[in-house]
């Protein structure tokens, strides 16, 4: 599959495995899985014919490893980013001392007032490196990177999870744990 098609199929998978399974008549389990055969048949009857080998290619070749198969390869799910009601049942994990979030300046007023909220997704998405946060923020304009005091949050009892593709997730980040990166003194890890 060429790169353009890989992206096209990946976007389709994101849509149905994170946001709109009903659009192709599939149902996700409570932890987000769907049988691969069911998915391929549903995509086929909605105009997207791909083989299992091509699906493997999309999962393997995905820049952010957005999708994962279960251990026996019979089911697939999105590793994060859902808006539909699923519980991925990820175990709690201890984050590094600081995490990062990329956003844009027009949201800063609200963010510093009420903290980071999941908005349409299930969890606030954070990254362990600045570059990823910059890229995420850059989808919406000139990126502003926020530093999250994950150590302080952990000490205050906030829980974190890490998705299969390395995205750090938490329910919300109160404003007292946020600094603009360009104004922050980065604490030692
Ligand atoms: C902002 C993509 C106002 C937040 C990316 C963000 C990521 C607030 C937007 C993943 C706010 C939500 C997630 C508040 C947060 N007031 N704005 N209180 N709290 N925001 O897309 O983190 O390519 O739901 O800063 O790469 O941008 O889809 O979250 O700008 O990994 O795999 O509200 O989605 O991954 O936007 O991105 P999103 P996000 P994929």
């Amino acid at each position: 599959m060429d790169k353009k098609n890989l992206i096209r199929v990946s976007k389709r998978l994101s849509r149905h495995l994170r946001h709109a399974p009903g659009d192709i008549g599939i149902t996700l389990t409570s932890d987000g899985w769907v049988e691969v055969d069911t998915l391929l048949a549903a995509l086929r009857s909605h105009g997207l014919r791909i083989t299992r080998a091509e699906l493997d290619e999309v999962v393997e070749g995905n820049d952010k490893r957005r999708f994962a198969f279960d251990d026996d390869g019979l089911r697939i799910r999105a590793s994060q980013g859902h808006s539909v009601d699923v519980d991925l049942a990820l175990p709690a994990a201890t984050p590094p001392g600081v995490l990062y979030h990329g956003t844009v300046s027009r949201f800063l007023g609200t963010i510093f007032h009420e903290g980071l909220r999941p908005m349409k997704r299930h969890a606030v998405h954070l990254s362990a490196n600045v570059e990823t946060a910059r890229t995420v923020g850059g989808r919406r304009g000139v990126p502003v990177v926020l530093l999250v005091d994950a150590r302080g949050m952990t000490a205050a009892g906030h829980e974190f999870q890490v998705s299969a593709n390395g995205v750090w997730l938490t329910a919300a980040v109160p404003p007292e744990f946020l600094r603009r990166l360009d104004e922050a003194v980065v604490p030692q890890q």
Side-chain angles (χ1 to χ4, degrees):
M1 219 185 274
D2 61 23
K3 196 166 170 219
K4 201 170 143 217
N5 262 319
L6 280 176
I7 293 172
R8 190 173 61 99
V9 175
S10 167
K11 290 199 165 179
R12 221 29 221 284
L13 292 180
S14 283
R15 185 159 118 222
H16 301 307
L17 298 179
R18 289 172 168 179
H19 310 299
D23 283 6
I24 54 168
I26 59 168
T27 312
L28 307 181
T29 60
S30 58
D31 48 0
W33 298 105
V34 63
E35 300 279 333
V36 170
D37 290 346
T38 307
L39 174 68
L40 293 180
L43 288 172
R44 195 155 55 238
S45 62
H46 289 79
L48 183 66
R49 300 184 75 84
I50 58 163
T51 63
R52 169 68 202 237
E54 288 169 327
L55 181 68
D56 289 351
E57 224 185 297
V58 173
V59 171
E60 285 300 313
N62 192 261
D63 57 346
K64 287 197 197 163
R65 304 202 63 89
R66 291 178 177 85
F67 316 104
F69 294 114
D70 66 3
D71 288 343
D72 54 18
L74 294 178
R75 300 187 304 169
I76 184 171
R77 74 178 179 184
S79 294
Q80 33 67 230
H82 299 77
S83 61
V84 290
D85 186 21
V86 296
D87 177 359
L88 299 181
L90 298 170
T94 306
V98 293
L99 290 169
Y100 301 94
H101 177 86
T103 189
V104 282
S105 60
R106 65 181 181 277
F107 297 153
L108 290 180
T110 336
I111 288 174
F112 279 108
H113 180 65
E114 60 179 32
L116 287 172
R117 293 197 295 112
M119 311 309 276
K120 289 192 184 130
R121 305 194 198 243
H122 280 183
V124 173
H125 283 48
L126 305 170
S127 63
N129 65 75
V130 181
E131 262 329 296
T132 304
R134 206 163 268 139
T135 307
V136 171
R139 295 176 306 154
R140 296 194 161 83
V142 179
V144 174
V145 175
L146 301 177
L147 185 149
V148 176
D149 174 12
R151 190 193 306 276
M153 284 183 68
T154 305
H158 292 267
E159 287 209 343
F160 291 83
Q161 298 167 313
V162 61
S163 70
N165 56 343
V167 178
W168 284 90
L169 305 167
T170 194
V173 180
E176 61 268 31
F177 299 107
L178 289 169
R179 302 276 178 284
R180 261 184 90 136
L181 182 61
D182 50 15
E183 292 168 355
V185 177
V186 180
Q188 295 289 308
Q189 287 286 339

